[in-house]
């Protein structure tokens, strides 16, 4: 029997995404966010509050990077969701992680995260819900250790985790349980 839980943001899994930008003084800012993802073959959409330093940086610089957090760096990833750059100027330095400047956009790349999308802002929207940023993916960078023999990202090597909005937990992912556009083919007959 189904039981009503009311109106809640209950979708699972939710990505754990690291948005990286440069502050006005050139220092690195990283924010942990779950309300975003792919919205077209070369576009991402982020739903983010306007009060965040990251939002101000995105508006000012017109660029950001979006990284997949991995279990090896879960403590820093969670910290980026706890601390705010509006109150903690040395937030990134406290993490112990390292960043380099993107060659494609005006944003930093956190070296420790295994996959990073370099994005150029194409639209900022104020509307229902929160502030929304649409970014064009201009390149994807991946650590060689997460690539398969064909040069594609291997999710079993990625060591990524997801956020659960039911109990605010993080969960490891990676086991393949089927093949898209194939597993359900028997049902087409």
């Amino acid at each position: 029997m189904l039981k009503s839980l009311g109106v809640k943001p209950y979708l699972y899994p939710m990505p754990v995404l690291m948005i990286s930008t440069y502050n006005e003084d050139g220092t690195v800012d990283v924010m942990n966010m779950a309300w975003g993802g792919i919205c077209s073959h070369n576009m991402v959409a982020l739903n983010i509050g306007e009060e965040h330093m990251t939002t101000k940086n995105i508006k000012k610089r017109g660029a950001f990077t979006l990284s997949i957090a991995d279990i090896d760096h879960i403590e820093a990833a969670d910290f980026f969701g706890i601390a705010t750059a509006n109150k903690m100027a040395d937030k990134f330095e406290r993490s112990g992680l390292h960043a380099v400047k993107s060659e494609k956009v005006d944003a930093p790349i956190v070296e420790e995260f295994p996959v990073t999308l370099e994005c150029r802002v194409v639209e900022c929207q104020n509307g229902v819900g929160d502030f929304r940023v649409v970014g064009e993916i201009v390149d994807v960078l991946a650590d060689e250790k997460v690539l398969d023999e064909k040069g594609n990202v291997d999710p079993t090597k990625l060591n990524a985790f997801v956020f659960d909005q039911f109990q605010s937990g993080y969960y490891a992912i990676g086991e393949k349980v089927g093949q898209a556009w194939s597993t359900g083919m028997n049902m087409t007959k």
Side-chain angles (χ1 to χ4, degrees), residues 19-170:
I19 309 170
S20 301
T21 60
Y22 282 121
N23 293 315
E24 194 170 321
D25 64 1
T27 58
V28 174
D29 174 53
V30 181
M31 176 184 170
N32 177 330
M33 65 100 51
W35 293 11
I38 299 295
C39 65
S40 182
H41 73 280
N42 68 334
M43 300 279 179
V44 296
L46 312 175
N47 294 305
I48 181 173
E50 283 198 84
E51 73 281 359
H52 293 289
M53 181 66 70
T54 301
T55 305
K56 296 170 190 159
N57 295 340
I58 286 172
K59 287 178 176 181
K60 191 164 278 199
R61 301 275 183 155
F64 60 93
T65 60
L66 193 60
S67 299
I68 297 172
D70 62 347
I71 294 170
D72 292 343
H73 302 97
I74 194 170
E75 183 179 16
D78 190 54
F79 170 70
F80 291 143
I82 296 169
T84 173
N86 287 323
K87 296 180 181 175
M88 188 181 292
D90 64 343
K91 175 177 153 180
F92 183 72
E93 289 75 21
R94 288 184 189 207
S95 75
L97 301 183
H98 307 89
V100 295
K101 183 169 178 16
S102 164
E103 293 180 14
K104 308 266 172 117
V105 298
D106 188 14
I109 296 166
V110 178
E111 295 180 301
E112 288 82 357
F113 293 141
V115 175
T116 299
L117 287 67
E118 297 170 286
C119 301
R120 179 182 60 82
V121 174
V122 294
E123 188 174 11
C124 292
Q125 306 166 341
N126 285 26
V128 177
D130 254 332
F131 183 71
R132 183 172 189 222
V133 176
V134 178
E136 176 188 12
I137 303 166
V138 297
D139 199 11
V140 178
L141 303 172
D143 190 315
E144 290 180 351
K145 72 181 180 185
V146 302
L147 301 178
D148 65 16
E149 62 281 345
K150 294 179 183 175
N152 297 314
V153 174
D154 179 343
T156 64
K157 295 178 179 180
L158 194 53
N159 207 21
F161 60 97
V162 294
F163 175 63
D164 107 72
Q165 297 208 133
F166 307 113
Q167 299 178 14
S168 298
Y170 293 125

